[in-house]
Amino acid sequence: ICESKLGKCWLLEYKEQYVGFIVCKFIDDVCEIILNGVLPTFANKGIYTNGLKYVINYCICNHYKSILISTQIDNFKVQRIWQNLNFKLSHGYY
């Protein structure tokens, strides 16, 4: 984990290799996931989902009231993951 006063970066590991990351910014009671991803060769192994679950749990334990995250409007694969984790689409831009 890398951290500063305003945020944290978690490195995602698979079989003792760093394969992804999730970077969060914290302001008041809001966590914003500002950048995140997994190397394409490690896709479909649940690494990204497990990383998000970890961040969600961290936010719950630290009393954050909301989590914001964004992507391109046509990135349906990641949006399905978010939907499975109970994120709700609030707005989109094209």
Side-chain angles (χ1 to χ4, degrees):
I1 187 171
C2 311
E3 60 185 313
S4 73
K5 289 181 181 181
L6 291 178
K8 293 185 184 293
C9 173
W10 286 276
L11 299 176
L12 306 179
E13 215 175 336
Y14 182 78
K15 295 187 178 180
E16 300 181 17
Q17 183 177 357
Y18 294 118
V19 299
F21 62 93
I22 298 177
V23 178
C24 297
K25 175 175 69 173
F26 302 101
I27 297 177
D28 299 325
D29 60 357
V30 177
C31 167
E32 181 178 1
I33 299 173
I34 56 173
L35 199 56
N36 58 101
V38 172
L39 291 170
T41 54
F42 293 91
N44 302 314
K45 298 184 184 303
I47 299 163
Y48 180 69
T49 300
N50 288 336
L52 284 177
K53 287 179 181 179
Y54 182 89
V55 170
I56 291 166
N57 187 59
Y58 175 88
C59 289
I60 290 168
C61 291
N62 288 278
H63 310 290
Y64 289 97
K65 300 227 183 293
S66 59
I67 300 171
L68 305 176
I69 193 168
S70 62
T71 191
Q72 297 83 4
I73 197 164
D74 59 351
N75 190 348
F76 301 116
K77 184 175 180 181
V78 78
Q79 290 177 40
R80 276 191 297 277
I81 292 170
W82 298 347
Q83 187 175 25
N84 290 337
L85 293 173
N86 294 316
F87 282 88
K88 304 292 183 228
L89 179 64
S90 67
H91 57 276
Y93 300 99
Y94 187 72

